[in-house]
Amino acid sequence: MSEKHKVAILGSGNWGSTVARIVGSNVRDRTEVFDPEVRIWVYEELIGGRKLTEIINSEHENVKYLPGKELPENVIAIPDPETAIEGANILVFVLPHQFVRSLCGKLAGKIRENAFAVSLIKGVDFDEKGVILISDVISRELGVECSVLMGANIANEIADEQFSEATIGYRNREHARLLKHIFQTPYFRIAGAPDVPGVEICGALKNIVALGAGFCDGLGYGNNTKAAVIRLGLIEMIRFAKKFFKDVQSMTFLQSSGVADLITTCYGGRNRRCAEAFARSGGKKSFEELENELLNGQKLQGTLTAKEIYEILQRQNLLQEFPFFEVIYAIAYQGRSVEGFLQQLSEKELSLEGDID
């Protein structure tokens, strides 16, 4: 009999803990294929004087990031990432994207033969040549094939077992099939798309658009205005994806990883929430302050992604083609007035879309 597949989860925040509930239950029910133990790397913290890993392993609950939701007993919290991946051939990455390179540096050379990965991380990296997908960072650093899973997935709603969808972007169909087995449930439907760049870039860029949606909310605008902002943001998401990744498929933008994730994030995600608070303060509170006040230790991805995308576009002299991304960056990092958000955006976008005067 062939060796069983073993899953390790790298990251234990709100989304990582929610994923652990799903994966733990699924592998426990399919022990003919999967090793029932799922190790999850937990960044060690003290909660009320106790180690978070000890709390999770004794009480089967991540009391900081997913309170009130039971984790399966076969999910084992490990404070060391190298120990967490021992023997695992399916590596699930679900941590803030700015920590991926340092984590991979610790794991390189310690991966099980024939292992593969899946990234649930919504962000991008970059170098002097342009944008780099996080899945490509993982692949290059660890020497593994890396798929992605993205979608309209607010973690707390999925933890409540409300119906949701997600998209696996893959290059290896057999890997995608195994990933569907560990992720899909009656309330969490998984579709596939052989388009890793398209699925992944949607997951990263929608966080920038969500900042614009949050500005609308904080400035007191209604649904018509917010819909216009979301539409303009989607146009730039598509424009950017096709500019930097020539084989992106148009249908990907209609998947859960595309327009559905964009809508959900613009109405319910942490980036929207912090941007609303930023606008209500008139820009007097920084995003760093708001992250500390509102997110209970979670990281705000939209502002960092906006900075990274801005630097890529500036380096390649493409800012004039992406006024939405430019305006968001200017408000977040250059002190531009949030009150002038809509006027700045509409004037710049009309020059691209074409006026009828």
Side-chain angles (χ1 to χ4, degrees):
M1 181 178 176
S2 60
E3 192 171 1
K4 293 180 180 180
H5 299 287
K6 184 175 179 62
V7 182
I9 299 173
L10 295 156
S12 59
N14 188 230
W15 186 213
S17 298
T18 299
V19 166
R21 295 183 81 232
I22 293 172
V23 173
S25 295
N26 280 345
V27 301
R28 183 186 58 198
D29 294 341
R30 298 200 62 177
T31 55
E32 74 282 4
V33 178
F34 298 100
D35 185 317
E37 182 183 83
V38 175
R39 294 183 179 182
I40 179 170
W41 171 52
V42 174
Y43 182 80
E44 194 70 278
E45 302 177 64
L46 291 179
I47 309 295
R50 298 175 63 195
K51 292 180 178 180
L52 182 55
T53 53
E54 293 177 358
I55 296 172
I56 292 172
N57 289 334
S58 61
E59 300 176 14
H60 308 294
E61 178 187 353
N62 189 332
V63 294
K64 179 168 184 180
Y65 295 108
L66 196 65
K69 298 297 179 184
E70 185 178 4
L71 295 171
E73 292 186 7
N74 59 313
V75 173
I76 310 299
I78 304 291
D80 173 57
E82 295 176 34
T83 303
I85 66 163
E86 285 181 1
N89 72 314
I90 302 177
L91 308 178
V92 180
F93 284 80
V94 53
L95 67 153
H97 77 277
Q98 60 266 38
F99 303 129
V100 170
R101 283 189 182 274
S102 61
L103 176 61
C104 287
K106 295 177 181 178
L107 302 181
K110 303 176 177 69
I111 306 297
R112 174 176 155 183
E113 188 178 358
N114 297 323
F116 64 95
V118 58
S119 171
L120 282 62
I121 299 167
K122 295 179 178 179
V124 294
D125 203 344
F126 67 99
D127 61 15
E128 66 281 356
K129 296 179 182 178
V131 63
I132 304 173
L133 299 174
I134 296 299
S135 62
D136 285 339
V137 173
I138 294 169
S139 291
R140 294 170 189 174
E141 295 288 327
L142 300 182
V144 297
E145 182 79 49
C146 187
S147 303
V148 297
L149 184 142
M150 307 282 160
N153 305 144
I154 293 177
N156 287 336
E157 294 182 7
I158 297 173
D160 288 336
E161 300 189 3
Q162 297 181 31
F163 183 80
S164 182
E165 298 177 315
T167 308
I168 292 176
Y170 64 89
R171 295 184 179 91
N172 184 307
R173 191 175 184 85
E174 178 60 20
H175 291 172
R177 186 185 68 82
L178 287 167
L179 293 171
K180 183 173 181 178
H181 285 319
I182 69 170
F183 288 121
Q184 181 155 279
T185 73
Y187 60 86
F188 191 50
R189 178 184 176 274
I190 304 298
D195 181 10
V196 171
V199 171
E200 187 168 357
I201 204 67
C202 283
L205 298 182
K206 57 92 181 184
N207 284 329
I208 305 176
V209 183
L211 296 176
F215 292 158
C216 286
D217 293 337
L219 294 169
Y221 295 117
N223 289 326
N224 292 345
T225 305
K226 193 169 178 178
V229 167
I230 294 170
R231 183 190 74 84
L232 293 171
L234 177 60
I235 288 171
E236 289 203 9
M237 287 172 58
I238 296 170
R239 188 182 297 148
F240 186 95
K242 294 194 171 184
K243 173 76 71 174
F244 287 92
F245 301 97
K246 302 303 182 185
D247 296 328
V248 165
Q249 301 171 11
S250 295
M251 280 299 296
T252 298
F253 298 99
L254 300 180
Q255 289 263 16
S256 180
S257 57
V259 67
D261 193 11
L262 177 62
I263 292 169
T264 295
T265 305
C266 288
Y267 279 88
R270 73 185 74 160
N271 294 281
R272 186 219 62 80
R273 182 184 177 196
C274 287
E276 178 183 12
F278 179 88
R280 289 191 186 282
S281 77
K284 294 177 182 176
K285 283 193 172 184
S286 70
F287 276 105
E288 184 177 5
E289 290 177 282
L290 294 167
E291 179 184 78
N292 292 331
E293 286 181 16
L294 300 176
L295 299 187
N296 188 36
Q298 296 182 80
K299 294 299 181 183
L300 186 66
Q301 297 298 303
T303 48
L304 180 56
T305 302
K307 182 176 186 292
E308 292 165 340
I309 294 299
Y310 179 88
E311 291 175 359
I312 292 166
L313 296 174
Q314 183 182 50
R315 188 177 296 131
Q316 301 204 14
N317 197 29
L318 292 171
L319 283 172
Q320 68 281 2
E321 296 183 33
F322 296 90
F324 189 107
F325 294 160
E326 188 274 330
V327 167
I328 296 294
Y329 172 84
I331 293 171
Y333 287 98
Q334 296 179 328
R336 191 179 296 179
S337 169
V338 68
E339 287 81 2
F341 166 61
L342 285 174
Q343 182 177 356
Q344 300 166 45
L345 181 59
S346 60
E347 288 175 354
K348 290 173 179 288
E349 283 286 358
L350 274 176
S351 66
L352 289 176
E353 294 194 302
D355 202 347
I356 59 174
D357 289 342

